[in-house]
Amino acid sequence: MTHAIHATHWCMGWGFTSDAQPQSFANCWEQVALPLPPQGICCAVLKTRLATPAWQALQRWVAGCWPQVQWLVVDAAEIAHIVTPSMSPRVAQRFGTGSVCEALALHAAQTHAAPTSGEAAAGGLLVPRIVSEDRCATLAIAAGGLSSPPFPTGVHS
């Protein structure tokens, strides 16, 4: 995990069911057990999740942890065919990738990485898919050497 030391930004990919609760997200985070990056955090979610009650729960929970977080909303087509370390046949059939959270994290890190030559710009996974105890939320984290600001502020629907 020395890779985490060089990452200036983290791109967190969140997958969740419509009934995920704040404790679902908190449980994922508790399993990470790494210090926060020195410069910033981006959270990436699927656009289709914005209409769920869990989206508001995630926003509230994240705001309580990291008030300066940036959000990236991604269409499912943008993560289809991204190769992920985790592979769920059900997820692959529905989304075209093995893990939604891993694909979101990788997509955010790779799409928005600054054109630098360090390890952080590579956009590799620091934390592969973590599943909450209630199985309602998943989290993966990718390294990012992101430009500043990394993403437009606010959520675009």
Side-chain angles (χ1 to χ4, degrees), residues 91-113:
V91 170
Q93 182 177 15
R94 183 169 176 199
F95 296 101
T97 186
S99 168
V100 168
C101 66
E102 289 176 349
L104 284 167
L106 290 168
H107 173 73
Q110 292 169 359
T111 302
H112 301 284

Side-chain angles (χ1 to χ4, degrees), residues 13-64:
W14 288 97
F16 51 91
T17 63
S18 61
D19 58 345
Q21 299 295 312
Q23 61 267 24
S24 307
F25 306 114
N27 181 256
C28 286
W29 175 247
E30 290 164 3
Q31 296 177 58
V32 171
L34 289 174
L36 287 173
Q39 298 205 3
I41 295 173
C42 162
C43 290
V45 298
L46 283 179
K47 186 175 186 177
T48 57
R49 306 313 311 167
L50 300 183
T52 68
W55 165 240
Q56 281 84 28
L58 175 60
Q59 284 185 296
R60 283 191 306 275
W61 180 79
V62 167

Side-chain angles (χ1 to χ4, degrees), residues 62-138:
V62 167
C65 297
W66 313 293
Q68 298 301 316
V69 75
Q70 305 257 342
W71 291 96
L72 176 65
V73 178
V74 178
D75 285 319
E78 294 179 76
I79 63 166
H81 307 295
I82 292 178
V83 177
T84 60
S86 299
M87 179 50 132
S88 163
R90 181 184 59 81
V91 170
Q93 182 177 15
R94 183 169 176 199
F95 296 101
T97 186
S99 168
V100 168
C101 66
E102 289 176 349
L104 284 167
L106 290 168
H107 173 73
Q110 292 169 359
T111 302
H112 301 284
T116 62
S117 61
E119 282 183 74
L125 284 180
L126 297 173
V127 179
R129 183 174 61 101
I130 292 173
V131 181
S132 63
E133 288 178 7
D134 64 7
R135 306 202 49 81
C136 291
T138 59

